[in-house]
Structures are given as structure tokens and as C-alpha cells.
Amino acid sequence: MRIKWAKRIEELPPYLFAEIDRKKNELVEKGVDVIDLGVGDPDIPTPDHIVESLRKACGDPENHRYPSYVGMLSFREAAAEWYAERFGVSLDPARQVVTLIGSKEGIAHAPLAFVDPGDIALVPDPGYPVYPVSTTFAGGVPYAMPLLKENGFFPDLDAIPGSVAKKAAMMFLNYPNNPTTVLANEGFFKEVVDFARKNDILVCHDAAYTEIAFYGKNPLSFLEIPGAMDVGVEFHSLSKTFSMTGWRLAFAAGNERAVAGLGKIKTNIDSGVFQAVQVAGITALKNSSVGLEDRKEVYRERLEIFCRGLEEAGIEYTRPEATFYVWFEVPEGMTSSEFSARMLSEAGVVVTPGNGFGDFGEGYARVSVTFDTARIEQAAERIADFKP
Ligand SMILES: *Cc1c(COP(=O)(O)O)cnc(C)c1O
């Protein structure tokens, strides 16, 4: 018997990275030295004081039982305190914060809470693939908002047809942005608040990279904008900030009814985050500046090394002021997929083709610098030598 798959997974777009992975493994087996700059997953270990905090909390039998669905109040309090200190945003930890099993979990479940079949979710393109996929899983229809270079990689809200805005239940945004690396500004966020108000749209802002910014840049929280609390919820993750991707800990904060909606979905799907991990998360948030500058310095140096390689190759790129990615234009006459295939076969470097982030990523590629600095240097040399 051939097990029937539901349409929602049968109709998923083909996994773009599978072919690259296959080719990469083939080359590695042949003994080729492949440098994989594909995945954005910090190589810098989680700081010791956070690990130690987990170690202690693991031994406490209190933490061995089912956690609360919406998260320990003490963790949500720590999150609220961190928001107040970092952004000057005041949150009620009991009603305006919910703990998540990584922000991917919250993002993936948001459309189940806010999108009815046939409703539209506005999604940035290029963007994190979870936004459109989770919309589709909920029976909704993703509508791509192009992030174009000529608009500074911001969506043009005026270009969204009125009929689309009317059918839209929610909008995903993400600044500092993966993959384009740009930061939001107050003016743009204000426009978003007005647009959301006018059209009754819930704004889900993915704020995974607010703490990874360079050159004195200080990324905003969407919730800092007057009126944002009426229309929005923000997803914040400990993954990138504290090098905790493997731990699965994040939270959503903002509009009380939105937080409650997410909580309802979660109560029926999962049973929360291991309490010991939340205790370690409290330690992380209460000591948020420990080691942060050093980690950022490592990323900044690597980004600059890689960008010098791009310059030598004559490749156009956006100077990254945040995140640990470089978003660059593939040489003229090549598609993203062709470039990425040739980078792999001719230079032994894995880069993510931009179209993996949506149609408007075509013509671009992304690398992540979450790998050993010496390897980034080698990759930069190989790119510099690449002859299109
Ligand atoms: C890494 C990432 C996330 C997910 O992080 P979690 O580990 O699930 O918290 C969410 N959004 C973007 C844009 C990311 O790059």
C-alpha cells in the first residue's frame, strides 16, 4: 500500500536544498574539500553561564514534570524585563508574553491561530520559507510582498492591491532581515502600523536578529512604534542572540489577544518547553550583554573578510549591518541556481541560491558566516578566484 499524503504536504514546493546537498555529499565522498556556507547556525558555543544554569536546573525534580503550556511565569517575566531594558517597551508578562519552542514553532503556528481558509497572509519575498508554508498549511493564501533593492529591501505597501489588503488577515515581516540583512527604520514601521490599522491586519514581526547588528546600529523592536501593540505581535528568539539554536527557546510578545490566540493553538498541540531550558533562558536574558560584543565582533570580522572576496571578484553586494549573512548578486548572465551549482563544482563552496527564499530572490545568493574564520577566509579566496 502506498500511504496517501495529504495535499498540504504533497503540494509543498520541491526542497531546493536537496539537490545541492546531494551534490555536496558526492564531492565530499570524492575527497573534495567543500566549504558549506549554507546554513545560518552559530558555530560559537552557548556561553558557559547558560550551560551551567541548565545543568543545575536539570537536577531539580520540579523541572521533570509537564511545563505550563504558555511558559513559566518567571521566564515570561525575564522576557518582559529584557524588553523594557532593551527597547523601553513595557509588557505584562502574564498576558502579553508566551513562551515558544523556538520562534519557528510560533511562526509556523501563527496562521493556524489567525488565518481562515481563503484568507491572505502577506509575506516578504525573499523571506524565511516558513511564512508561506505555514500559511498554506492553515488553508490560507500567501501573497508575496517583493523586497526589491531599489526599495531598500522594504515592501512597497502602496503597491498592495486594495482587494488583497481587504482579504489579508496577517502580515509577516522580519527586520533585521534574513536574507537581505537590512534594518528597519521608524518611518517604515509607522507606515506598517497605519496600514495594519486601516486594513485590520495582524502584524507578525520576526525579530530573530535584533541583537546581531554592527557599526553601532541598534535595531528597533516593532513594539516601540506607537500603536504597534494594537496591531502586532513580535517573535523573539534566544537562538541567534545567545547561540542557542539547539535549545529551542523563544517567545512571542505584544498584543494580548494575539498572544492568547497563539496560546490557544499551543495548548492543543504541544506541552511547552522543558522547564530547565526556560531556567537557562532566564539566566541568558538576565545577563544578556555577557559576551555579546565578542560574538558580534567575530561575525563582523568574518562578514568583512567574505565581502572583500566578493569585491575582488567584482560581485555586487549589500554591506551587511546586521545578521550573520551576506546577500549578494550573482554575476550577470547566470541564474541563482546556476551560480550556486558552479560555486559548488568549481570552487567547492556551498552558497544558498536566492530563489530558495522566493521568486524575488532570483539573481541573488546568500552565505552565512557561522563557520570557522579560517574557512571563511578560504571561501573568500575561492570566490575571488571564481571566473563567471
Ligand atoms: C533562525 C531564524 C528563525 C528561527 O529561529 P528559532 O531557532 O526557531 O527560534 C526565525 N526567523 C528567521 C528569519 C531566522 O533566520
Side-chain angles (χ1 to χ4, degrees):
M1 175 179 111
R2 187 165 187 270
I3 304 295
K4 180 184 92 97
W5 277 357
K7 289 193 186 64
R8 75 177 62 83
I9 66 165
E10 192 71 74
E11 290 169 3
L12 278 177
Y15 188 56
L16 195 99
F17 308 102
E19 178 64 8
I20 297 177
D21 255 3
R22 197 187 57 75
K23 264 204 208 130
K24 176 193 154 186
N25 293 335
E26 219 175 84
L27 289 173
V28 171
E29 265 167 39
K30 277 193 206 149
V32 178
D33 175 34
V34 175
I35 306 175
D36 188 344
L37 304 183
V39 187
D41 183 359
D43 61 316
I44 304 171
T46 309
D48 285 340
H49 63 284
I50 303 173
V51 177
E52 194 46 48
S53 172
L54 174 75
R55 230 179 238 132
K56 280 209 191 100
C58 274
D60 182 351
E62 269 298 295
N63 294 333
H64 298 169
R65 311 190 67 192
Y66 279 125
S68 123
Y69 296 112
V70 293
M72 297 165 81
L73 184 60
S74 51
F75 175 76
R76 289 179 291 147
E77 280 167 353
E81 276 163 30
W82 179 79
Y83 251 75
E85 192 184 305
R86 168 68 177 84
F87 300 114
V89 170
S90 139
L91 293 164
D92 174 352
R95 295 167 200 275
Q96 293 180 313
V97 184
V98 59
T99 306
L100 301 172
I101 313 169
S103 57
K104 185 178 188 177
E105 180 263 305
I107 291 163
H109 283 147
L112 285 183
F114 309 117
V115 169
D116 277 319
D119 284 353
I120 285 176
L122 302 166
V123 302
D125 181 345
Y128 192 49
V130 184
Y131 312 140
V133 169
S134 61
T135 300
T136 311
F137 279 0
V141 182
Y143 181 90
M145 301 184 291
L147 306 187
L148 305 176
K149 183 182 171 189
E150 57 263 37
N151 295 336
F153 298 114
F154 292 108
D156 178 359
L157 301 179
D158 294 332
I160 298 169
S163 57
V164 170
K166 226 167 105 186
K167 280 172 74 179
M170 60 185 285
M171 170 195 279
F172 282 109
L173 287 174
N174 163 225
Y175 292 96
N177 183 259
N178 173 13
T180 71
T181 77
V182 303
L183 285 80
N185 54 59
E186 211 177 323
F188 170 68
F189 273 165
K190 279 186 170 151
E191 265 180 54
V192 172
V193 170
D194 289 344
F195 181 84
R197 256 220 191 103
K198 195 171 123 211
N199 297 291
D200 276 324
I201 293 171
L202 171 68
V203 178
C204 290
H205 183 237
D206 178 354
Y209 295 97
T210 56
E211 305 317 291
I212 316 281
F214 320 105
Y215 314 115
K217 298 278 172 186
N218 193 19
L220 293 168
S221 159
F222 178 65
L223 301 178
E224 286 181 55
I225 307 306
M229 205 67 88
D230 293 335
V231 298
V233 65
E234 186 155 78
F235 294 87
H236 201 91
S237 175
L238 281 75
S239 287
K240 314 291 164 59
T241 306
F242 301 108
S243 283
M244 289 177 75
T245 44
W247 298 57
R248 313 313 301 137
L249 184 60
F251 58 92
N255 183 278
E256 184 175 330
R257 216 174 126 73
V259 165
L262 259 182
K264 256 191 190 305
I265 294 292
K266 287 179 56 58
T267 306
N268 287 283
I269 288 184
D270 64 67
S271 295
V273 175
F274 181 27
Q275 292 206 122
V277 168
Q278 295 187 64
V279 171
I282 296 171
T283 303
L285 290 167
K286 285 195 187 292
N287 303 278
S288 57
S289 61
V290 176
L292 180 61
E293 286 305 318
D294 296 340
R295 295 195 292 280
K296 289 194 325 193
E297 198 53 22
V298 170
Y299 296 137
R300 186 196 53 74
E301 188 197 6
R302 291 173 180 176
L303 289 167
E304 287 178 1
I305 290 169
F306 190 83
C307 289
R308 280 200 291 275
L310 290 176
E311 265 159 43
E312 275 178 49
I315 290 175
E316 296 274 331
Y317 66 97
T318 308
R319 182 177 181 254
E321 293 182 327
T323 78
F324 36 60
Y325 305 110
V326 188
W327 183 243
F328 58 96
E329 296 177 34
V330 306
E332 207 146 324
M334 253 184 258
T335 65
S336 293
S337 298
E338 283 163 1
F339 175 74
S340 138
R342 283 189 55 193
M343 275 312 292
L344 181 53
S345 57
E346 293 168 33
V349 179
V350 175
V351 306
T352 307
N355 58 322
F357 301 98
D359 292 345
F360 292 93
E362 180 52 56
Y364 288 87
R366 189 198 78 176
V367 296
S368 169
V369 297
T370 48
F371 303 91
D372 187 69
T373 306
R375 296 296 270 168
I376 306 288
E377 264 163 24
Q378 283 177 333
E381 281 166 22
R382 293 183 191 184
I383 291 242
D385 291 342
F386 180 72
K387 296 282 168 291

